[in-house]
Amino acid sequence: MFITDTTDAAYPPESHEAESIMDRLTEIMADYATPNLRSTPRLGMDDSLHLEEARSLTGQRRPRLGQVQKLHTLYQLQPFFSRASIETFEGVYEDAGVDWEAVEDGLWHEIEQ
Amino acid sequence: MDSDKERFPELLSRITAAPSNNIFVNREQEMLSRSLNLRRLSYAMLAAEQNHYLVHLPSIQEKLVDILRTDIVSSRVHSEVYLCLRVMMCRISAQHLTNFWPVILSELLKVFEGAMDDPPADGSEDLLLVLAACKFLDLLLVIQSEDFQMCVLVSCGADHQPPMDVHHRHDRRRLPSRVPRS
């Protein structure tokens, strides 16, 4: 649904008319996730973002970046991108729904800063 | 906001993409003020009940899109727009947002593609915009409303597909090879 059926006619790279936006986003996510992004500096342990578990104990989907408020370098987002598409698919298969409490908590936390 | 019936439209009217005509206005102050007004908008919507501001939705959408499309606005202001969009996903029923997604997604793409072409400097506002965009994407992926998916298909000119039963969705997905099939 997000993603065009890849057995359809091949699209030339410069044609965007039929290309799914989510396809493009998925490609970008993969690019961001690769370790060699623009000669990535090695991140120290304390540079890691605190990512939430993608699912609650009951299997509901929740935002991974829910508790992240600061970012000091782009490369900290690599784990988010590399896990995003996998976890999205896994979450949908289970279809336990959304952990709205986690969503709301994250939003309130951020808005009240 | 007990008197929100009067205050909300007033707040909305202060949100605009157009730069001030007043040459004496300090641009940085102006961006700060815009950010603050957007934050107030987000707060008002989050604090209200579901669909409380539905009547204002067309105006809210127009303003947010206007801001996203205006280059002269700062990254900080754009970040506030993405926060506002996340609030809207939680406080406005999905069916009201269907026509909104294509334009928002194309703006979102620009942020990511721009950051790849020209990575934002550590500690910059541009970097915080990427974070704001990621958090928005994060929430989109969590919520995955069917309306959002259908509108992405339709907006991209794909052949019309009949609505899929949620539980059979996975059959039509292109899977990354690492995902184990159930």
Side-chain angles (χ1 to χ4, degrees):
Chain A
M1 296 286 286
F2 281 177
I3 290 171
T4 52
D5 186 343
T6 53
T7 60
D8 286 346
Y11 312 123
E14 56 277 9
S15 158
H16 293 283
E17 273 167 36
E19 187 184 17
S20 151
I21 293 178
M22 286 309 287
D23 258 348
R24 181 65 192 124
L25 271 175
T26 307
E27 278 171 26
I28 286 180
M29 286 199 275
D31 287 346
Y32 270 92
T34 55
N36 296 328
L37 180 67
R38 305 267 175 138
S39 61
T40 316
R42 293 288 299 159
L43 292 178
M45 282 298 286
D46 40 338
D47 282 343
S48 303
L49 290 182
H50 173 64
L51 297 181
E52 298 283 323
E53 284 301 315
R55 276 175 283 155
S56 68
L57 292 172
T58 50
Q60 292 177 315
R61 303 190 296 280
R62 54 154 74 134
R64 300 220 73 201
L65 295 171
Q67 297 301 320
V68 174
Q69 305 302 340
K70 292 191 186 36
L71 193 70
H72 54 260
T73 175
L74 187 62
Y75 311 106
Q76 289 175 291
L77 289 169
Q78 277 173 11
F80 164 69
F81 281 109
S82 66
R83 299 295 298 165
S85 46
I86 300 174
E87 282 164 355
T88 299
F89 294 132
E90 288 179 348
V92 167
Y93 293 145
E94 288 196 9
D95 202 27
V98 176
D99 182 354
W100 286 107
E101 200 178 312
V103 171
E104 296 262 336
D105 279 352
L107 274 173
W108 277 114
H109 188 66
E110 189 168 333
I111 269 189
E112 287 177 327
Q113 269 186 331
Chain B
M1 264 190 164
D2 281 341
S3 55
D4 65 345
K5 290 272 185 292
E6 297 93 40
R7 284 215 236 148
F8 193 83
E10 194 210 313
L11 173 59
L12 258 191
S13 69
R14 281 188 259 137
I15 292 168
T16 167
S20 167
N21 287 326
N22 185 344
I23 59 168
F24 296 108
V25 168
N26 175 297
R27 192 160 164 253
E28 182 156 334
Q29 277 296 102
E30 196 182 342
M31 293 307 154
L32 213 63
S33 162
R34 282 176 201 270
S35 302
L36 196 58
N37 284 327
L38 278 166
R39 181 64 66 104
R40 286 181 178 131
L41 178 65
S42 299
Y43 189 96
M45 288 200 287
L46 191 60
E49 57 195 33
Q50 190 80 354
N51 291 324
H52 184 79
Y53 293 111
L54 200 55
V55 69
H56 296 288
L57 185 60
S59 180
I60 295 170
Q61 288 176 324
E62 190 187 326
K63 285 167 184 288
L64 293 182
V65 169
D66 231 14
I67 291 172
L68 287 181
R69 285 181 166 168
T70 306
D71 284 331
I72 202 162
V73 165
S74 76
S75 291
R76 181 173 177 157
V77 174
H78 279 187
S79 299
E80 290 293 333
V81 171
Y82 285 109
L83 175 60
C84 197
L85 291 171
R86 282 161 58 206
V87 172
M88 286 168 74
M89 280 203 282
C90 299
R91 288 289 181 269
I92 310 245
S93 303
Q95 68 266 26
H96 302 295
L97 297 174
T98 307
N99 63 342
F100 199 31
W101 295 133
V103 64
I104 295 298
L105 287 178
S106 62
E107 295 304 319
L108 189 70
L109 266 179
K110 284 185 206 163
V111 174
F112 289 128
E113 295 197 354
M116 279 175 66
D117 292 340
D118 190 9
D122 293 358
S124 64
E125 279 188 356
D126 289 343
L127 185 62
L128 292 179
L129 173 57
V130 175
L131 178 60
C134 286
K135 292 181 129 197
F136 175 71
L137 177 62
D138 196 13
L139 189 57
L140 267 184
L141 295 174
V142 162
I143 292 182
Q144 294 189 27
S145 77
E146 284 209 35
D147 296 303
F148 154 66
Q149 292 171 52
M150 282 307 291
C151 93
V152 168
L153 260 184
V154 168
S155 72
C156 297
D159 291 332
H160 175 70
Q161 312 242 1
M164 299 288 294
D165 178 349
V166 153
H167 299 289
H168 296 299
R169 228 189 274 159
H170 64 276
D171 291 336
R172 301 298 296 265
R173 287 181 181 277
R174 181 185 67 187
L175 299 172
S177 56
R178 323 167 255 201
V179 175
R181 279 210 174 253
S182 53

